[in-house]
């Protein structure tokens, strides 16, 4: 039984409750973050906290009182649940007014709902999937136009995962106007020679915290980085491909729409980036 955090209280998971009028439930009016835990410490916490604040601001969502203390809440949940490897999920919604209404509630009377819980994943860093690599299909990107905000509107990404599952593969890369935007819950990359290619930042993709760190480490390791759109055909002809996210770190992609990428197994650059990312992030984990 997990101990979770709801609006200032640490409770057993089966006693934690939110209102049926919560705007997260009725309108998907909420934002979230997923922060990974390695060696009982938080990875890239500062980046996730900063993006969270930006998501709140972009949606004119009031800042919950606990915002400056979120590091402590994360640490307390890690401690209470004895997490060595896994994730912390955090969600903030616009709160629960006393009726359903499209108009935002008055922030004076409706305060944000804040929920955090842990996900215990022993072996997360040493994942067998990373040794094998994953296979992806391409699908049309049918999400809304503000994907830079990390909202809880995850229906289309869920449908994308189901399409991947139905096709017998692990994930889907979404395509818009002929170019890959990102994976259903991760950023997408290809490698050609010594160059790492990943879509430029904009409203079309989430600005991954793992993406920022990996690109920085890649440049420090003298690899070339090109931030630009790429197509599925380019990915199929690339030397390597991979994805990044807080829950997968750097994960090699070995097949795109049934075509093997490079040698059809995890490539040396993706493997090295995964190693560097894990080593360097562990050094500065909080
Ligand atoms: N997903 N793009 C999308 C659409 C995402 O949902 C995510 C993260 C990322 C990677 O961002 P980061 O490196 O900051 O985790 C990119 C999380 C892990 C999730 O929804 O579970």
């Amino acid at each position: 039984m997990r101990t979770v955090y709801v609006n200032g209280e640490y409770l057993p998971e089966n006693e934690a409750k939110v209102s049926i009028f919560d705007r997260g439930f009725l309108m998907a009016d909420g934002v979230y973050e997923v922060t990974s835990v390695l060696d009982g410490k938080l990875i890239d916490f500062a980046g996730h906290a900063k993006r969270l604040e930006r998501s709140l601001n972009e949606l004119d969502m009031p800042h919950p009182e606990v915002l400056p203390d979120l590091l402590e809440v994360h640490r307390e949940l890690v401690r209470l649940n004895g997490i060595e490897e896994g994730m912390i999920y955090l969600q903030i919604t616009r709160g629960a007014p006393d009726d359903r209404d499209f108009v935002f509630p008055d922030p004076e009377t409706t305060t944000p709902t804040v929920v955090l819980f842990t996900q215990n994943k022993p072996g997360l860093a040493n994942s067998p999937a990373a040794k094998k690599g994953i296979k992806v299909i391409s699908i049309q990107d049918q999400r809304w136009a503000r994907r830079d905000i990390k909202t809880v509107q995850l229906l289309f990404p869920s449908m994308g995962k189901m399409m991947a599952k139905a096709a017998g593969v692990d994930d889907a890369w979404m395509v818009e106007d002929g170019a890959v935007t990102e994976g259903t819950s991760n950023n997408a990359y290809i490698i050609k020679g010594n160059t790492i290619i990943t879509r430029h930042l904009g409203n079309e993709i989430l600005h991954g915290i793992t993406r920022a760190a990996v690109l920085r480490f890649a440049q420090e390791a003298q690899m070339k980085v090109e931030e630009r759109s790429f197509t599925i055909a380019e990915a199929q002809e690339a030397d390597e491909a991979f994805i990044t996210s807080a829950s997968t770190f750097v994960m090699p992609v070995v097949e795109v729409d049934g075509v093997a990428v490079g040698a059809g197994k995890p490539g040396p650059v993706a493997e090295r980036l995964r190693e560097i990312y894990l080593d360097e992030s562990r050094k500065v984990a909080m």
Side-chain angles (χ1 to χ4, degrees), residues 32-36 44 47-48 51 87 89 119 143 147 150-151 154 157 161 174 181-189 204-212 244-249 277:
Y32 76 108
E33 284 295 331
V34 175
T35 304
S36 55
D44 282 335
H48 289 284
R51 185 174 62 192
M87 282 99 74
Y89 177 86
Q119 296 184 290
R143 296 173 300 163
R147 303 155 193 159
K150 199 163 170 64
T151 76
L154 296 176
K161 288 263 195 228
M174 295 179 284
T181 51
E182 57 189 331
T184 59
S185 59
N186 43 69
N187 291 116
Y189 306 73
E204 300 77 23
I205 63 167
L206 186 74
H207 302 187
I209 302 307
T210 320
R211 176 189 184 281
T244 65
S245 77
S247 49
T248 60
F249 311 118
Y277 177 75

Side-chain angles (χ1 to χ4, degrees), residues 6 45 48 64 99 118 135 150 213 223 229 263 275 280:
V6 186
F45 180 81
H48 289 284
D99 201 356
T118 54
K135 299 177 178 179
K150 199 163 170 64
M223 298 176 197
S229 303
E275 243 176 64
E280 295 301 317

Side-chain angles (χ1 to χ4, degrees), residues 4-281:
V4 304
Y5 175 95
V6 186
N7 296 330
E9 286 187 287
Y10 293 91
L11 295 170
E13 61 186 10
N14 60 350
E15 286 174 27
K17 300 212 160 46
V18 294
S19 163
I20 63 159
F21 296 113
D22 196 279
R23 288 188 55 98
F25 179 60
L26 295 180
M27 309 281 191
D29 188 359
V31 299
Y32 76 108
E33 284 295 331
V34 175
T35 304
S36 55
V37 178
L38 293 176
D39 317 315
K41 290 185 184 160
L42 299 156
I43 301 296
D44 282 335
F45 180 81
H48 289 284
K50 197 165 162 211
R51 185 174 62 192
L52 175 67
E53 198 172 323
R54 178 179 183 275
S55 295
L56 292 171
N57 293 343
E58 290 297 308
L59 296 174
D60 281 328
M61 211 179 273
H63 288 193
E65 248 173 52
V66 70
L67 199 66
D69 306 319
L70 281 178
L71 176 58
E72 280 323 303
V73 178
H74 278 74
R75 282 181 167 154
E76 184 64 2
L77 281 180
V78 167
R79 191 185 69 77
L80 289 169
N81 293 286
I83 308 293
E84 276 300 308
E85 284 194 17
M87 282 99 74
I88 312 270
Y89 177 86
L90 165 150
Q91 179 169 331
I92 300 176
T93 78
R94 204 179 302 272
D98 50 20
D99 201 356
R100 179 175 181 267
D101 191 350
F102 281 79
V103 172
F104 291 173
D106 180 353
E108 292 297 316
T109 47
T110 302
T111 55
T113 301
V114 182
V115 169
L116 287 93
F117 56 80
T118 54
Q119 296 184 290
N120 193 28
K121 305 266 181 205
L124 187 67
N126 202 9
S127 123
K131 295 187 180 75
K132 244 176 62 193
I134 64 161
K135 299 177 178 179
V136 303
I137 52 166
S138 63
I139 60 173
Q140 278 306 310
D141 197 333
Q142 294 180 5
R143 296 173 300 163
W144 79 327
R146 288 304 305 275
R147 303 155 193 159
D148 56 311
I149 310 172
K150 199 163 170 64
T151 76
V152 297
Q153 305 177 70
L154 296 176
L155 186 52
F156 188 71
S158 287
M159 290 168 72
K161 288 263 195 228
M162 294 311 292
M163 291 179 227
K165 208 174 155 185
V169 300
D170 306 287
D171 204 355
W173 279 8
M174 295 179 284
V175 174
E176 188 170 61
D177 300 329
V180 174
T181 51
E182 57 189 331
T184 59
S185 59
N186 43 69
N187 291 116
Y189 306 73
I190 58 173
I191 301 169
K192 197 81 189 153
N194 185 36
T195 306
I196 299 164
I197 301 157
T198 193
R199 194 181 176 103
H200 50 283
L201 297 179
N203 294 351
E204 300 77 23
I205 63 167
L206 186 74
H207 302 187
I209 302 307
T210 320
R211 176 189 184 281
V214 165
L215 293 188
R216 197 176 65 242
F217 297 141
Q219 272 155 340
E220 283 168 12
Q222 316 305 325
M223 298 176 197
K224 250 185 74 193
V225 173
E226 252 179 55
E227 294 181 68
R228 62 158 175 93
S229 303
F230 61 88
T231 63
I232 289 292
E234 232 182 315
Q236 290 172 326
E237 285 158 18
D239 297 320
E240 297 184 37
F242 64 96
I243 56 166
T244 65
S245 77
S247 49
T248 60
F249 311 118
V250 176
M251 178 69 68
V253 170
V254 296
E255 189 186 292
V256 177
D257 280 341
V259 175
V261 177
K265 55 184 184 94
V269 179
E271 281 184 335
R272 173 131 181 269
L273 279 173
R274 182 179 175 90
E275 243 176 64
I276 298 176
Y277 177 75
L278 287 170
D279 287 351
E280 295 301 317
S281 313

